[in-house]
Amino acid sequence: MTTSLRLGGEPTLLVLLWSSGAVAIGIGLDGMSPQLFLTVRAIGAAACACAIVLAARSALPTGRDLAIVVGAGLLLQVTYQGAYFLAIAHHISAGMISLIMSAQPLLTVVAAGALSRRTATGAALGVVGVGVAVIADTSSTGASVVAFAFAAVALLAITAGTLVQAKVTSTTGWSCVAVQSTVSATVFGSVVAAVGPGEVHLTASSVVAAAWVTIVVSVIATALLYRITRERGAVVVSGLFLVVPSCAAGLDYLLTGATVPPLAIAGGAVAVIGLVMLQQPVRRSRPSIRRGRGRRLVSPS
């Protein structure tokens, strides 16, 4: 029972925490520029994660694992985060970029060689469901071709980064976050040093939002993401993100009073069906599920 609760509770918690980030980022960007927000987030996350690693006496990755962790960090913490923020800065709507990001599960199962009839159907249902939910509340914002190019880069980066991170087997999530946040803090700090911090209009709400994104989303949720990726595979994790837009819309309603159209709720329900299809394991031999590093992506459990 305890194992079942953990296997069900951890993905649910990840979705809730990750979804809260979308709302908090919007509030935080009202008080600071994207480059400054990214730098503050990275520095804060690195400090928190390093403190946890020192307190727990966790070993930092070395050798091959270190190379994989840094590579995944450049994709997930630098390229994905940077491109995502730049797409929004070029006036792409949150709804449209969520729609683009919803293609990640399908790209993941294809790249991982896990495209069975069931996983393809589940991913397709998820993409359609999220698309319906997003389009129901999407307004035209005059996004440029550059904005869509940044969104495409973000999509490719999070897909590739999830697959690379899944190869880490002997390093704790906290250690990964500590290393990767340090790398991203260095990169974004250099950007701020080169172009400046941009406009800053701090308010109490923007400070709280930045702290939430830094500690809860960038440290706790990211460590949980890496734990689930290591134990259950990239395909399962990518499936979880199918319901993030709908969950974020619900949190947005609870926190800001934003309404959720009935069609968006219906789309979210379809996305959940796709998630369930992606989450259920394929019946294959146990060794290929538990021991094969590459096969864990094929047969998530």
Side-chain angles (χ1 to χ4, degrees):
M1 180 64 71
T2 301
T3 301
S4 298
L5 287 174
R6 184 176 69 80
L7 291 177
E10 288 185 348
T12 300
L13 179 61
L14 175 62
V15 169
L16 288 172
L17 295 181
W18 208 266
S19 299
S20 71
V23 180
I25 287 172
I27 297 172
L29 284 175
D30 287 338
M32 64 188 79
S33 65
Q35 68 267 28
L36 182 59
F37 196 162
L38 285 165
T39 303
V40 170
R41 180 202 65 82
I43 293 174
C48 291
C50 288
I52 293 172
V53 168
L54 289 174
R57 297 183 179 180
S58 299
L60 292 174
T62 58
R64 178 178 180 274
D65 260 5
L66 177 60
I68 294 174
V69 169
V70 171
L74 290 173
L75 288 167
L76 294 171
Q77 299 288 343
V78 177
T79 308
Y80 165 67
Q81 295 275 355
Y84 190 95
F85 273 75
L86 285 171
I88 294 176
H90 282 78
H91 310 298
I92 197 170
S93 68
M96 184 56 68
I97 197 169
S98 295
L99 175 60
I100 295 171
M101 292 301 110
S102 71
Q104 185 216 342
L106 186 55
L107 291 182
T108 300
V109 295
V110 171
L115 192 61
S116 66
R117 180 179 299 178
R118 193 205 68 236
T119 55
T121 302
L125 281 175
V127 170
V128 170
V130 173
V132 169
V134 169
I135 290 173
D137 197 33
T138 299
S139 58
S140 176
T141 56
S144 64
V145 174
V146 174
F148 283 97
F150 280 128
V153 171
L155 172 61
L156 294 175
I158 194 172
T159 301
T162 301
L163 292 170
V164 172
Q165 185 64 39
K167 297 179 181 180
V168 179
T169 58
S170 60
T171 303
T172 66
W174 298 120
S175 297
C176 288
V177 174
V179 172
Q180 293 173 346
S181 295
T182 300
V183 171
S184 63
T186 302
V187 173
F188 291 129
S190 299
V191 172
V192 169
V195 305
E199 295 185 3
V200 180
H201 305 287
L202 294 181
T203 62
S205 59
S206 64
V207 171
V208 171
W212 180 271
V213 171
T214 298
I215 299 172
V216 177
V217 180
S218 298
V219 178
I220 298 175
T222 302
L224 184 59
L225 168 68
Y226 291 170
R227 174 190 174 103
I228 298 174
T229 300
R230 185 175 66 250
E231 293 184 351
R232 307 191 67 187
V235 172
V236 171
V237 171
S238 67
L240 293 174
F241 289 107
L242 289 172
V243 295
V244 166
S246 296
C247 186
L251 291 175
D252 199 18
Y253 170 75
L254 292 175
L255 295 174
T256 68
T259 58
V260 182
L263 188 58
I265 297 175
V270 174
V272 170
I273 295 174
L275 169 62
V276 171
M277 295 183 69
L278 279 174
Q279 294 281 65
Q280 292 181 354
V282 177
R283 298 298 179 186
R284 298 198 180 178
S285 60
R286 290 286 182 181
S288 66
I289 296 175
R290 294 182 177 178
R291 296 177 184 175
R293 291 184 179 179
R295 311 317 299 171
R296 182 169 58 252
L297 302 181
V298 178
S299 305
S301 60

Short mmCIF file of all heavy atoms in Angstrom, two decimals, residues 12-29 32 37 40-42 44-45 48 81 85 174 177 203-223 247-248 251-252 255:
data_model
loop_
_atom_site.label_atom_id
_atom_site.label_comp_id
_atom_site.label_asym_id
_atom_site.label_seq_id
_atom_site.Cartn_x
_atom_site.Cartn_y
_atom_site.Cartn_z
N THR A 12 1.42 12.92 -8.80
CA THR A 12 0.38 13.94 -8.55
C THR A 12 0.99 15.20 -7.97
O THR A 12 0.67 16.33 -8.39
CB THR A 12 -0.69 13.38 -7.59
OG1 THR A 12 -1.28 12.22 -8.17
CG2 THR A 12 -1.76 14.43 -7.33
N LEU A 13 1.89 15.02 -6.99
CA LEU A 13 2.56 16.17 -6.38
C LEU A 13 3.40 16.91 -7.41
O LEU A 13 3.41 18.16 -7.44
CB LEU A 13 3.44 15.70 -5.22
CG LEU A 13 4.23 16.79 -4.49
CD1 LEU A 13 3.29 17.81 -3.86
CD2 LEU A 13 5.13 16.17 -3.41
N LEU A 14 4.10 16.18 -8.28
CA LEU A 14 4.92 16.81 -9.31
C LEU A 14 4.06 17.67 -10.22
O LEU A 14 4.42 18.81 -10.54
CB LEU A 14 5.64 15.74 -10.12
CG LEU A 14 6.45 16.27 -11.33
CD1 LEU A 14 7.55 17.20 -10.88
CD2 LEU A 14 7.02 15.10 -12.14
N VAL A 15 2.91 17.15 -10.66
CA VAL A 15 2.03 17.90 -11.55
C VAL A 15 1.54 19.18 -10.87
O VAL A 15 1.53 20.26 -11.48
CB VAL A 15 0.84 17.04 -11.99
CG1 VAL A 15 -0.22 17.88 -12.70
CG2 VAL A 15 1.30 15.92 -12.92
N LEU A 16 1.16 19.09 -9.59
CA LEU A 16 0.67 20.26 -8.87
C LEU A 16 1.75 21.32 -8.72
O LEU A 16 1.53 22.51 -8.98
CB LEU A 16 0.14 19.85 -7.49
CG LEU A 16 -1.18 19.07 -7.47
CD1 LEU A 16 -1.49 18.56 -6.07
CD2 LEU A 16 -2.32 19.95 -7.97
N LEU A 17 2.95 20.88 -8.30
CA LEU A 17 4.04 21.84 -8.10
C LEU A 17 4.47 22.46 -9.42
O LEU A 17 4.71 23.67 -9.52
CB LEU A 17 5.23 21.16 -7.42
CG LEU A 17 5.01 20.65 -5.99
CD1 LEU A 17 6.28 20.03 -5.44
CD2 LEU A 17 4.52 21.78 -5.08
N TRP A 18 4.59 21.64 -10.45
CA TRP A 18 5.03 22.14 -11.76
C TRP A 18 3.99 23.11 -12.33
O TRP A 18 4.34 24.12 -12.93
CB TRP A 18 5.26 20.97 -12.71
CG TRP A 18 6.29 21.26 -13.76
CD1 TRP A 18 6.07 21.74 -15.01
CD2 TRP A 18 7.70 21.12 -13.64
NE1 TRP A 18 7.24 21.89 -15.69
CE2 TRP A 18 8.28 21.50 -14.87
CE3 TRP A 18 8.55 20.67 -12.61
CZ2 TRP A 18 9.64 21.48 -15.10
CZ3 TRP A 18 9.91 20.64 -12.85
CH2 TRP A 18 10.45 21.04 -14.08
N SER A 19 2.71 22.79 -12.13
CA SER A 19 1.65 23.66 -12.64
C SER A 19 1.65 25.01 -11.93
O SER A 19 1.35 26.04 -12.55
CB SER A 19 0.29 22.98 -12.44
OG SER A 19 0.22 21.76 -13.14
N SER A 20 1.99 25.01 -10.64
CA SER A 20 2.01 26.27 -9.90
C SER A 20 3.06 27.22 -10.45
O SER A 20 2.94 28.44 -10.34
CB SER A 20 2.28 26.01 -8.42
OG SER A 20 3.64 25.61 -8.20
N GLY A 21 4.09 26.67 -11.08
CA GLY A 21 5.15 27.51 -11.62
C GLY A 21 4.67 28.43 -12.73
O GLY A 21 5.12 29.57 -12.84
N ALA A 22 3.71 27.94 -13.54
CA ALA A 22 3.21 28.77 -14.64
C ALA A 22 2.55 30.03 -14.12
O ALA A 22 2.72 31.12 -14.67
CB ALA A 22 2.21 27.96 -15.47
N VAL A 23 1.77 29.90 -13.03
CA VAL A 23 1.10 31.05 -12.44
C VAL A 23 2.13 31.97 -11.78
O VAL A 23 2.10 33.20 -11.94
CB VAL A 23 0.05 30.60 -11.41
CG1 VAL A 23 -0.65 31.81 -10.80
CG2 VAL A 23 -0.98 29.67 -12.07
N ALA A 24 3.07 31.38 -11.03
CA ALA A 24 4.06 32.17 -10.30
C ALA A 24 4.99 32.93 -11.24
O ALA A 24 5.37 34.08 -10.96
CB ALA A 24 4.86 31.27 -9.37
N ILE A 25 5.36 32.32 -12.35
CA ILE A 25 6.25 32.99 -13.30
C ILE A 25 5.57 34.23 -13.87
O ILE A 25 6.19 35.29 -14.02
CB ILE A 25 6.67 32.03 -14.43
CG1 ILE A 25 7.66 30.99 -13.91
CG2 ILE A 25 7.28 32.80 -15.60
CD1 ILE A 25 7.99 29.89 -14.89
N GLY A 26 4.28 34.11 -14.21
CA GLY A 26 3.56 35.26 -14.73
C GLY A 26 3.54 36.41 -13.74
O GLY A 26 3.70 37.58 -14.13
N ILE A 27 3.36 36.11 -12.46
CA ILE A 27 3.35 37.15 -11.43
C ILE A 27 4.75 37.73 -11.26
O ILE A 27 4.93 38.95 -11.15
CB ILE A 27 2.84 36.58 -10.11
CG1 ILE A 27 1.39 36.10 -10.26
CG2 ILE A 27 2.94 37.61 -8.99
CD1 ILE A 27 0.86 35.35 -9.05
N GLY A 28 5.77 36.87 -11.24
CA GLY A 28 7.13 37.33 -11.04
C GLY A 28 7.63 38.23 -12.15
O GLY A 28 8.36 39.19 -11.90
N LEU A 29 7.22 37.94 -13.39
CA LEU A 29 7.69 38.73 -14.53
C LEU A 29 7.08 40.13 -14.53
O LEU A 29 7.55 41.00 -15.28
CB LEU A 29 7.36 38.02 -15.84
CG LEU A 29 8.27 36.84 -16.19
CD1 LEU A 29 7.78 36.13 -17.44
CD2 LEU A 29 9.71 37.29 -16.36
N MET A 32 10.14 41.96 -12.75
CA MET A 32 11.53 41.92 -13.21
C MET A 32 11.62 41.35 -14.62
O MET A 32 10.69 40.71 -15.10
CB MET A 32 12.38 41.09 -12.25
CG MET A 32 12.02 39.62 -12.16
SD MET A 32 12.91 38.74 -10.84
CE MET A 32 11.94 39.26 -9.41
N PHE A 37 15.08 37.38 -13.77
CA PHE A 37 14.29 36.34 -13.11
C PHE A 37 15.01 35.00 -13.24
O PHE A 37 15.14 34.24 -12.27
CB PHE A 37 12.90 36.28 -13.74
CG PHE A 37 11.89 35.52 -12.92
CD1 PHE A 37 10.54 35.70 -13.17
CD2 PHE A 37 12.24 34.64 -11.91
CE1 PHE A 37 9.57 35.02 -12.43
CE2 PHE A 37 11.29 33.96 -11.16
CZ PHE A 37 9.96 34.14 -11.43
N VAL A 40 18.14 35.02 -10.91
CA VAL A 40 17.77 34.90 -9.50
C VAL A 40 17.30 33.49 -9.19
O VAL A 40 17.68 32.90 -8.16
CB VAL A 40 16.66 35.92 -9.16
CG1 VAL A 40 16.08 35.65 -7.78
CG2 VAL A 40 17.20 37.35 -9.23
N ARG A 41 16.49 32.93 -10.08
CA ARG A 41 16.00 31.57 -9.89
C ARG A 41 17.15 30.57 -9.84
O ARG A 41 17.20 29.70 -8.96
CB ARG A 41 15.05 31.20 -11.05
CG ARG A 41 14.46 29.80 -10.95
CD ARG A 41 14.01 29.32 -12.32
NE ARG A 41 15.13 29.16 -13.24
CZ ARG A 41 15.91 28.09 -13.28
NH1 ARG A 41 15.70 27.08 -12.44
NH2 ARG A 41 16.91 28.02 -14.13
N ALA A 42 18.09 30.70 -10.77
CA ALA A 42 19.20 29.75 -10.84
C ALA A 42 20.12 29.86 -9.62
O ALA A 42 20.53 28.84 -9.05
CB ALA A 42 19.98 29.97 -12.13
N GLY A 44 19.38 31.09 -6.61
CA GLY A 44 18.67 30.61 -5.43
C GLY A 44 18.55 29.10 -5.39
O GLY A 44 18.73 28.47 -4.34
N ALA A 45 18.24 28.51 -6.54
CA ALA A 45 18.11 27.05 -6.61
C ALA A 45 19.45 26.37 -6.34
O ALA A 45 19.51 25.35 -5.64
CB ALA A 45 17.59 26.64 -7.99
N CYS A 48 20.16 26.59 -2.52
CA CYS A 48 19.31 25.66 -1.75
C CYS A 48 19.74 24.22 -1.96
O CYS A 48 19.87 23.43 -1.00
CB CYS A 48 17.85 25.83 -2.17
SG CYS A 48 17.10 27.39 -1.68
N GLN A 81 14.70 26.64 -20.47
CA GLN A 81 14.23 27.77 -19.68
C GLN A 81 14.41 29.08 -20.45
O GLN A 81 13.51 29.93 -20.51
CB GLN A 81 14.99 27.84 -18.35
CG GLN A 81 14.76 26.67 -17.42
CD GLN A 81 13.52 26.85 -16.55
OE1 GLN A 81 12.89 27.90 -16.58
NE2 GLN A 81 13.19 25.83 -15.79
N PHE A 85 11.28 31.50 -21.88
CA PHE A 85 11.10 32.88 -21.45
C PHE A 85 11.19 33.85 -22.64
O PHE A 85 10.45 34.83 -22.71
CB PHE A 85 12.15 33.25 -20.40
CG PHE A 85 11.75 32.92 -18.99
CD1 PHE A 85 11.76 31.61 -18.54
CD2 PHE A 85 11.36 33.92 -18.12
CE1 PHE A 85 11.39 31.30 -17.25
CE2 PHE A 85 10.98 33.63 -16.81
CZ PHE A 85 10.99 32.31 -16.37
N TRP A 174 18.92 15.71 -5.79
CA TRP A 174 19.46 16.94 -5.19
C TRP A 174 20.83 17.27 -5.78
O TRP A 174 21.13 18.43 -6.06
CB TRP A 174 19.60 16.78 -3.67
CG TRP A 174 18.31 16.56 -2.97
CD1 TRP A 174 17.95 15.48 -2.21
CD2 TRP A 174 17.17 17.43 -2.94
NE1 TRP A 174 16.68 15.62 -1.72
CE2 TRP A 174 16.17 16.82 -2.15
CE3 TRP A 174 16.90 18.68 -3.50
CZ2 TRP A 174 14.94 17.40 -1.90
CZ3 TRP A 174 15.66 19.26 -3.28
CH2 TRP A 174 14.70 18.63 -2.49
N VAL A 177 20.33 18.70 -9.26
CA VAL A 177 19.86 20.08 -9.20
C VAL A 177 20.98 21.03 -8.81
O VAL A 177 21.12 22.13 -9.37
CB VAL A 177 18.68 20.22 -8.22
CG1 VAL A 177 18.28 21.69 -8.07
CG2 VAL A 177 17.48 19.40 -8.70
N THR A 203 7.54 44.13 -6.40
CA THR A 203 6.41 44.25 -5.49
C THR A 203 6.44 43.04 -4.56
O THR A 203 7.20 42.08 -4.80
CB THR A 203 5.07 44.26 -6.25
OG1 THR A 203 4.92 43.02 -6.95
CG2 THR A 203 5.02 45.41 -7.25
N ALA A 204 5.64 43.07 -3.52
CA ALA A 204 5.60 41.94 -2.59
C ALA A 204 5.20 40.66 -3.30
O ALA A 204 5.79 39.60 -3.09
CB ALA A 204 4.63 42.24 -1.44
N SER A 205 4.21 40.76 -4.20
CA SER A 205 3.74 39.56 -4.91
C SER A 205 4.80 39.02 -5.86
O SER A 205 4.97 37.79 -5.97
CB SER A 205 2.46 39.88 -5.68
OG SER A 205 2.67 40.92 -6.61
N SER A 206 5.54 39.89 -6.53
CA SER A 206 6.56 39.41 -7.46
C SER A 206 7.73 38.76 -6.71
O SER A 206 8.32 37.78 -7.18
CB SER A 206 7.08 40.54 -8.34
OG SER A 206 7.75 41.54 -7.58
N VAL A 207 8.06 39.28 -5.53
CA VAL A 207 9.13 38.69 -4.72
C VAL A 207 8.72 37.31 -4.22
O VAL A 207 9.49 36.34 -4.27
CB VAL A 207 9.48 39.62 -3.53
CG1 VAL A 207 10.43 38.90 -2.56
CG2 VAL A 207 10.12 40.90 -4.02
N VAL A 208 7.48 37.19 -3.72
CA VAL A 208 6.98 35.90 -3.24
C VAL A 208 6.93 34.90 -4.40
O VAL A 208 7.30 33.73 -4.25
CB VAL A 208 5.59 36.05 -2.61
CG1 VAL A 208 4.97 34.68 -2.33
CG2 VAL A 208 5.67 36.86 -1.32
N ALA A 209 6.48 35.36 -5.57
CA ALA A 209 6.41 34.48 -6.74
C ALA A 209 7.79 33.99 -7.15
O ALA A 209 7.98 32.81 -7.48
CB ALA A 209 5.74 35.22 -7.90
N ALA A 210 8.77 34.90 -7.14
CA ALA A 210 10.14 34.51 -7.49
C ALA A 210 10.70 33.50 -6.50
O ALA A 210 11.38 32.54 -6.89
CB ALA A 210 11.03 35.75 -7.55
N ALA A 211 10.40 33.70 -5.21
CA ALA A 211 10.86 32.75 -4.19
C ALA A 211 10.21 31.39 -4.37
O ALA A 211 10.85 30.35 -4.22
CB ALA A 211 10.55 33.30 -2.79
N TRP A 212 8.92 31.39 -4.73
CA TRP A 212 8.21 30.12 -4.95
C TRP A 212 8.82 29.36 -6.14
O TRP A 212 9.07 28.16 -6.05
CB TRP A 212 6.73 30.40 -5.20
CG TRP A 212 5.92 29.15 -5.44
CD1 TRP A 212 5.68 28.54 -6.65
CD2 TRP A 212 5.27 28.34 -4.45
NE1 TRP A 212 4.93 27.41 -6.48
CE2 TRP A 212 4.64 27.27 -5.15
CE3 TRP A 212 5.14 28.43 -3.07
CZ2 TRP A 212 3.91 26.29 -4.48
CZ3 TRP A 212 4.40 27.45 -2.41
CH2 TRP A 212 3.80 26.40 -3.11
N VAL A 213 9.04 30.08 -7.23
CA VAL A 213 9.62 29.43 -8.41
C VAL A 213 11.01 28.89 -8.09
O VAL A 213 11.38 27.78 -8.51
CB VAL A 213 9.68 30.43 -9.59
CG1 VAL A 213 10.48 29.83 -10.76
CG2 VAL A 213 8.28 30.79 -10.04
N THR A 214 11.78 29.65 -7.32
CA THR A 214 13.15 29.26 -7.00
C THR A 214 13.22 28.04 -6.10
O THR A 214 13.93 27.07 -6.39
CB THR A 214 13.89 30.44 -6.32
OG1 THR A 214 13.94 31.55 -7.22
CG2 THR A 214 15.31 30.03 -5.95
N ILE A 215 12.48 28.07 -5.00
CA ILE A 215 12.59 27.01 -4.00
C ILE A 215 11.69 25.82 -4.30
O ILE A 215 12.14 24.67 -4.34
CB ILE A 215 12.27 27.57 -2.60
CG1 ILE A 215 13.26 28.69 -2.23
CG2 ILE A 215 12.32 26.46 -1.55
CD1 ILE A 215 12.91 29.42 -0.96
N VAL A 216 10.42 26.09 -4.53
CA VAL A 216 9.45 25.00 -4.69
C VAL A 216 9.54 24.35 -6.05
O VAL A 216 9.59 23.12 -6.17
CB VAL A 216 8.02 25.52 -4.43
CG1 VAL A 216 7.00 24.40 -4.67
CG2 VAL A 216 7.90 26.06 -3.01
N VAL A 217 9.55 25.17 -7.11
CA VAL A 217 9.54 24.60 -8.47
C VAL A 217 10.94 24.17 -8.91
O VAL A 217 11.14 23.03 -9.34
CB VAL A 217 8.94 25.61 -9.47
CG1 VAL A 217 8.95 25.01 -10.88
CG2 VAL A 217 7.53 26.00 -9.06
N SER A 218 11.92 25.09 -8.79
CA SER A 218 13.24 24.80 -9.33
C SER A 218 14.04 23.81 -8.50
O SER A 218 14.94 23.14 -9.03
CB SER A 218 14.04 26.11 -9.46
OG SER A 218 13.41 26.98 -10.36
N VAL A 219 13.75 23.70 -7.20
CA VAL A 219 14.51 22.77 -6.35
C VAL A 219 13.68 21.53 -6.03
O VAL A 219 14.03 20.41 -6.43
CB VAL A 219 14.96 23.46 -5.04
CG1 VAL A 219 15.71 22.48 -4.15
CG2 VAL A 219 15.85 24.66 -5.35
N ILE A 220 12.57 21.71 -5.33
CA ILE A 220 11.79 20.55 -4.87
C ILE A 220 11.16 19.80 -6.04
O ILE A 220 11.31 18.58 -6.17
CB ILE A 220 10.72 21.00 -3.86
CG1 ILE A 220 11.37 21.62 -2.63
CG2 ILE A 220 9.83 19.82 -3.46
CD1 ILE A 220 10.39 22.21 -1.64
N ALA A 221 10.45 20.53 -6.91
CA ALA A 221 9.77 19.87 -8.02
C ALA A 221 10.77 19.26 -9.01
O ALA A 221 10.53 18.17 -9.54
CB ALA A 221 8.86 20.86 -8.73
N THR A 222 11.88 19.95 -9.25
CA THR A 222 12.87 19.42 -10.18
C THR A 222 13.53 18.16 -9.64
O THR A 222 13.75 17.18 -10.38
CB THR A 222 13.94 20.48 -10.50
OG1 THR A 222 13.30 21.64 -11.06
CG2 THR A 222 14.96 19.95 -11.50
N ALA A 223 13.86 18.14 -8.34
CA ALA A 223 14.43 16.94 -7.74
C ALA A 223 13.43 15.78 -7.81
O ALA A 223 13.81 14.64 -8.07
CB ALA A 223 14.82 17.21 -6.29
N CYS A 247 -4.17 21.71 -15.23
CA CYS A 247 -3.98 21.90 -13.79
C CYS A 247 -3.60 23.34 -13.49
O CYS A 247 -4.07 23.95 -12.52
CB CYS A 247 -2.92 20.94 -13.27
SG CYS A 247 -2.71 20.96 -11.48
N ALA A 248 -2.74 23.92 -14.33
CA ALA A 248 -2.34 25.32 -14.14
C ALA A 248 -3.54 26.25 -14.29
O ALA A 248 -3.66 27.24 -13.55
CB ALA A 248 -1.26 25.69 -15.17
N LEU A 251 -5.42 26.12 -11.03
CA LEU A 251 -4.73 26.90 -10.00
C LEU A 251 -4.88 28.40 -10.27
O LEU A 251 -5.02 29.20 -9.33
CB LEU A 251 -3.24 26.52 -9.96
CG LEU A 251 -2.93 25.13 -9.43
CD1 LEU A 251 -1.43 24.83 -9.57
CD2 LEU A 251 -3.35 24.97 -7.97
N ASP A 252 -4.83 28.77 -11.55
CA ASP A 252 -4.99 30.17 -11.91
C ASP A 252 -6.37 30.68 -11.49
O ASP A 252 -6.53 31.80 -11.01
CB ASP A 252 -4.81 30.34 -13.42
CG ASP A 252 -4.48 31.77 -13.81
OD1 ASP A 252 -4.07 32.55 -12.93
OD2 ASP A 252 -4.64 32.11 -14.99
N LEU A 255 -6.32 31.00 -7.59
CA LEU A 255 -5.45 32.06 -7.06
C LEU A 255 -5.78 33.45 -7.58
O LEU A 255 -5.60 34.44 -6.87
CB LEU A 255 -3.98 31.73 -7.38
CG LEU A 255 -3.43 30.46 -6.71
CD1 LEU A 255 -2.03 30.17 -7.23
CD2 LEU A 255 -3.41 30.63 -5.19
#
